Each structure stands twice: as C-alpha cells, then as structure tokens.
C-alpha cells in the first residue's frame, strides 16, 4: 500500500464549485451511514436523542448540507431507524440479517450495499456515532477523491499521549517507552503528537472495496480538529457528549442568532393538555412550577415570552398563573400571530424560538431560528423541529427548552468573541 498523505481541517483548501462540475457529474459519490438496530451498550443508540436530535441526525445534517453527495443512504435492519433516516432526508437500504450480526463488519455491510447499487463509484462511510462532523470536512475530503485522485481517505485526530509497552499477567518483565525518552520528556508544545483514527469517516473508491479494502491504493488521511472528534462509541457518557455537541456541533447552514422572543403553545406545552372543569363550569388549568421558573429565567435574560392558544382559554385563569407573559387566545392561524409579534418587535425569524406540539404549530416550528416540541408531541410536530424535549408537555418541557436556549446563546456569544 502507498504511504498515507496528510490533509488537515486547519489547512486552506479551495472548496470545489458544485454546479456544472464535470468530474462531479461523472462520479457518483454516495454517503453511507451504517446503523443497525442491535447495540450491546445503549438500545437503539443510533436514534437516541442527543441534545434534542437523534444521534444519526447530526451526521445526516452535515452530509446533506455538504452538497458533495449524489445520494445519501442509511443501511439498517430496524423500522424505527428507517423512519428517522427518512425524516432527515436520507434514502434507506434494508440490510440483510447476514450483515446485521454482532460479528458483521462495516466492510460486509458496505459490500452488500454496493451489490444493489451499480451506479455508486465512491462510498463515504460516515459513522453515526460522530455527531460533531461538519460539512466543511466532507467537502474537503470529496475534493481529495475527485480532484486529487486519492483512492481512499480516512479521518484522524492528533493526540499527545505517551505510550508504554504492555506487560501480560504472569510475565516477569518491565515496561518500555514506545514513543518517548523518559529522560527527556517533551513538553506538549514541543511535540507534534501522533495521529489516531477517530472513526468519523472512511471514503473509498468502489474498485478498492471490490478488492476487500476500505483503506489502500493511493491513500490519505484527513486530520480533523480535536474538538470535532467526538466518538460516542468510545468517548464519553451521554450528558458529557451533549455538552460537547452543543458547543462544537454543526447546527445548519445559517448562523445562530441570539433569541429575543419565545412563543409557547399553552395546551400541551405549558399545560399537559388536560382541562379540569369545576361544578360551576369554571375551567381550571395546571402547570409545572419548573416551567414557570424557566419562563422567569428567560425573561431575566431579556427574552420576551408570549403564549398562544387555538382555544378560547380563560384569560383570568392565565393571569392567575402570574407568568408575566402576553397571551393570544382563539387563534385560527398561529403563523399569522407570530409574524405580527415578530414585526412588532423588529426581529428576524432567527431571533425567534418556538415551542409547539400539534400540526397547527408546524409552520412556526419550521420558520423559527430555534424550535422544540415536548416528548409527547404529535409526529408532524416532531418532524418539523430541531429539538425534541425529554420532558412531556406541562411536565418541564419549557424549562428544558429554556436551558437549551441558554446553551446555544452561549455558543452564539462565544462565536462573536472570536477574532
């Protein structure tokens, strides 16, 4: 095999133009994410929510927005994974039971996929467990394959770790340094470190895969930034992974903006959706104190919070909650009202957050810069949002979304401070 050639996410690489590119049109590059239903660790890990997004959704978003693939596929044996993959715009290859075993390799699944897709010339095998992947990395790697003529490119990360030889149990021996001189231990800033595969992706031409390889031929590595090298399989537990993704993950083509307005549906978000009626016919609503705290925290941060409902809710009852929010009830068209509020406050849609749970909320969820739904919201609303809460409506969803907004606002402020 040829020696690997270096490429880096920190280097300056010209991004290829995608329209009218002859090489692009003649080479079918397919993204392929392998996501079987079985998992020894976390059941259905590939679609478990990570920072409000199914794990596989993070890499699918990056692949779609990169614009370098002629097709994007998820290879799976599970109905729920297929459903999520299609929601994110991917096509689905239903893999056979033969390549869905614990003993099956990635290469086995890729070879099977290619048997059904003669049109594919290059496979970009992207790992679902690498949620901090960015489109810019995929664009640069596609250029290395299409324009620089590499047969295979894989991702690596630079680590500054000293290695020592292992001593097997029962063996009388001493350990030896593998990559350092203990008498002259280098400082981190004086040592380049070493390159390790981070498992984020493996690109290979079909001709190479047909020979039984994912790495070979004219071969190159692509060095990813350390903060983007998050591997759920190896790295860390879920809460820590969520913090990493919120800070370093890819959230879409448009830059995030600071939230100035949160609009929340009353029924099914502020409340559980249950209505209690007293003997004298008066309506009684219940809400979670955690959600009231979430609303007050947002208001303290300068975020305007407004409530909206299709029903003719009792304004007197809502006023008794003492939430300090403007309220609009008996709303036939929620988008119309939110648009009116947006213009009144002189905001763009990227500065609006929306929490809804029904089909009537879909258009607002799609337009808002940040949107969310409670865990028990309807399927149409879940499909339209970019954050699914762990909490149900009326059971802490507003407080949870408020914390999510705070984290993303920190991301926005951090980005604004960079030189």
């Amino acid at each position: 095999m040829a020696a690997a050639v270096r490429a880096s996410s920190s280097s300056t690489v010209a991004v290829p133009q995608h329209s009218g590119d002859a090489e692009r049109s003649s080479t079918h590059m397919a993204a392929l994410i392998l996501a079987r239903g079985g998992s020894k660790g976390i059941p259905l890990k590939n679609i478990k929510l990570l920072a409000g997004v199914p794990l596989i959704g993070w890499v699918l978003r990056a692949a779609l927005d990169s614009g370098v693939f002629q097709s994007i596929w998820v290879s799976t044996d599970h109905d729920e994974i297929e459903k999520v993959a299609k929601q994110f715009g991917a096509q689905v290859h239903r893999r056979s039971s033969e390549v869905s075993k614990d003993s099956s390799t990635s290469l086995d699944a890729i070879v099977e996929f290619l048997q059904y897709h003669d049109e594919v010339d290059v496979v970009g095998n992207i790992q679902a467990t690498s949620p901090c992947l960015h489109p810019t990395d995929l664009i640069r790697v596609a250029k290395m394959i299409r324009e620089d003529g590499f047969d295979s490119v894989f991702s690596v990360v630079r680590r500054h770790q000293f290695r020592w030889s292992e001593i097997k149990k029962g063996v009388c021996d001493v350990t030896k340094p593998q990559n350092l001189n203990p008498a002259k231990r280098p400082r981190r800033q004086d040592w380049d470190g070493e390159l390790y595969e981070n498992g984020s992706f493996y690109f290979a031409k079909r001709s190479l895969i047909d020979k039984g390889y994912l790495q070979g031929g004219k071969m190159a590595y692509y060095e990813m930034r350390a903060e983007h090298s998050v591997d759920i399989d190896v790295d860390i537990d879920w809460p820590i992974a969520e913090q990493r993704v919120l800070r370093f993950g890819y959230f879409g083509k448009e830059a995030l903006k600071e939230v100035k307005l949160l609009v929340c549906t009353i029924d099914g978000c502020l409340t559980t959706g249950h209505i209690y009626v007293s003997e004298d016919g008066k309506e009684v609503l219940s809400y979670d104190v955690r959600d009231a705290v979430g609303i007050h925290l947002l208001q303290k941060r300068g975020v305007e919070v407004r409530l909206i409902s299709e029903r003719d809710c009792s304004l007197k009852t809502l006023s008794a909650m003492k939430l300090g929010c403007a309220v609009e009830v008996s709303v036939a068209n929620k988008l119309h009202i939110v648009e009116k509020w947006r213009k009144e406050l002189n905001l763009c849609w990227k500065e609006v957050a929306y929490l809804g749970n029904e089909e009537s909320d879909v258009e607002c969820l799609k337009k808002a810069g940040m949107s969310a739904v409670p865990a028990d919201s309807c399927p149409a609303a879940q499909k339209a949002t970019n954050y699914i809460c762990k909490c149900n409506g009326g059971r802490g969803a507003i407080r949870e979304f408020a914390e999510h907004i705070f984290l993303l606002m920190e991301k926005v402020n951090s980005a604004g401070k960079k030189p």
Side-chain angles (χ1 to χ4, degrees):
M1 294 184 183
V5 177
R6 180 180 188 271
S8 172
S9 59
S10 61
S11 60
T12 302
V13 180
V15 176
Q17 297 298 315
H18 302 314
S19 59
D21 188 288
E23 180 65 20
R24 173 190 168 102
S25 62
S26 63
T27 302
H28 186 116
M29 185 177 288
L32 180 63
I33 295 93
L34 307 179
R36 68 187 182 94
S39 173
K40 291 181 179 179
I42 304 172
L44 289 179
K45 173 182 60 182
N46 291 311
I47 55 173
K48 178 179 169 65
L49 295 181
L50 179 71
V53 178
L55 177 59
I56 198 172
W58 290 98
V59 295
L60 284 173
R61 179 189 290 164
L64 286 161
D65 285 358
S66 71
V68 299
F69 299 106
Q70 278 61 57
S71 60
I72 297 175
W73 295 84
V74 171
S75 170
T76 187
D77 60 341
H78 199 280
D79 292 343
E80 286 301 310
I81 295 176
E82 176 175 357
K83 179 182 175 182
V84 172
K86 289 180 176 178
Q87 285 179 349
F88 276 85
Q91 300 180 73
V92 173
H93 169 76
R94 288 299 295 228
R95 66 166 74 179
S96 69
S97 58
E98 290 301 312
V99 298
S100 300
K101 303 173 184 176
D102 286 342
S103 58
S104 301
T105 66
S106 296
L107 185 60
D108 293 335
I110 293 169
V111 167
E112 182 194 73
F113 168 78
L114 287 176
Q115 289 172 352
Y116 290 88
H117 296 282
D118 293 337
E119 75 280 5
V120 175
D121 302 302
V122 179
V123 172
N125 174 215
I126 301 171
Q127 304 297 312
T129 55
S130 300
C132 285
L133 180 67
H134 282 241
T136 49
D137 295 321
L138 298 174
I139 290 170
R140 289 165 178 162
V141 172
K143 176 185 179 295
M144 294 171 71
I145 295 284
R146 286 195 171 106
E147 298 183 20
D148 300 335
F150 289 103
D151 298 311
S152 62
V153 182
F154 56 94
S155 58
V156 300
V157 63
R158 188 174 299 275
R159 292 178 181 166
H160 294 76
Q161 296 174 324
F162 296 130
R163 291 182 290 106
W164 292 80
S165 61
E166 182 180 356
I167 306 301
K168 300 295 184 181
K169 289 183 179 179
V171 177
C172 184
D173 202 352
V174 294
T175 187
K176 296 178 181 178
Q178 299 292 297
N179 62 349
L180 79 153
N181 178 356
K184 297 180 179 180
R185 290 176 63 93
R187 298 182 305 165
R188 181 185 178 91
Q189 59 266 40
D190 296 330
W191 182 43
D192 289 338
E194 296 181 331
L195 298 177
Y196 293 79
E197 290 185 22
N198 68 356
S200 187
F201 55 76
Y202 298 84
F203 280 61
K205 290 183 177 177
R206 185 190 195 102
S207 57
L208 187 65
I209 296 170
D210 287 342
K211 296 175 184 176
Y213 298 102
L214 273 177
Q215 295 161 295
K218 184 181 177 183
M219 182 169 48
Y221 63 77
Y222 178 86
E223 185 179 347
M224 287 179 62
R225 294 166 57 181
E227 60 266 32
H228 292 170
S229 296
V230 176
D231 187 349
I232 300 298
D233 265 345
V234 176
D235 259 2
I236 36 189
D237 61 27
W238 217 260
I240 296 174
E242 288 189 324
Q243 296 300 313
R244 288 281 297 275
V245 169
L246 286 169
R247 186 173 180 187
F248 300 116
Y250 171 71
F251 286 83
K253 291 180 179 179
E254 295 186 40
L256 293 170
K257 282 185 174 289
E258 188 168 358
V259 171
K260 303 290 181 63
L261 169 66
L262 168 64
V263 178
C264 176
T265 298
I266 294 172
D267 302 304
C269 289
L270 175 63
T271 74
T272 62
H274 298 126
I275 301 172
Y276 305 93
V277 181
S278 63
E279 289 183 356
D280 57 0
K282 291 183 179 180
E283 181 180 288
V284 179
L285 299 176
S286 68
Y287 66 98
D288 195 310
V289 172
R290 291 176 296 174
D291 289 327
V293 171
I295 289 173
H296 293 319
L297 288 173
L298 286 163
Q299 291 168 335
K300 284 182 179 179
R301 290 281 293 267
V303 178
E304 177 84 8
V305 181
R306 298 190 179 186
L307 306 175
I308 194 168
S309 176
E310 294 174 275
R311 293 191 314 107
D312 184 15
C313 301
S314 168
L315 294 177
K316 187 175 181 181
T317 301
L318 292 169
S319 177
M321 293 182 179
K322 298 180 180 179
L323 297 174
C325 303
V327 181
E328 189 85 25
V329 299
S330 301
V331 175
N333 186 328
K334 292 180 180 176
L335 182 60
H336 175 76
I337 297 299
V338 179
E339 182 72 31
K340 182 184 75 172
W341 285 342
R342 181 186 70 80
K343 291 179 178 177
E344 171 191 317
L345 296 171
N346 194 28
L347 304 176
C348 67
W349 272 103
K350 297 296 288 183
E351 297 170 301
V352 177
Y354 191 92
L355 181 66
N357 69 313
E358 284 295 344
E359 289 190 21
S360 58
D361 297 304
V362 166
E363 291 305 315
C364 293
L365 289 167
K366 287 181 177 179
K367 278 188 168 290
M370 292 186 197
S371 66
V373 297
D376 56 350
S377 59
C378 77
Q382 290 190 8
K383 187 176 180 180
T385 191
N386 49 31
Y387 186 92
I388 302 174
C389 296
K390 296 174 185 174
C391 298
N392 288 342
R395 293 288 184 267
I398 297 176
R399 174 62 187 269
E400 181 184 341
F401 189 37
E403 294 295 339
H404 181 68
I405 289 172
F406 294 148
L407 285 169
L408 291 186
M409 285 169 69
E410 287 179 14
K411 183 182 177 78
V412 172
N413 293 331
S414 296
K417 293 175 183 177
K418 290 180 180 178

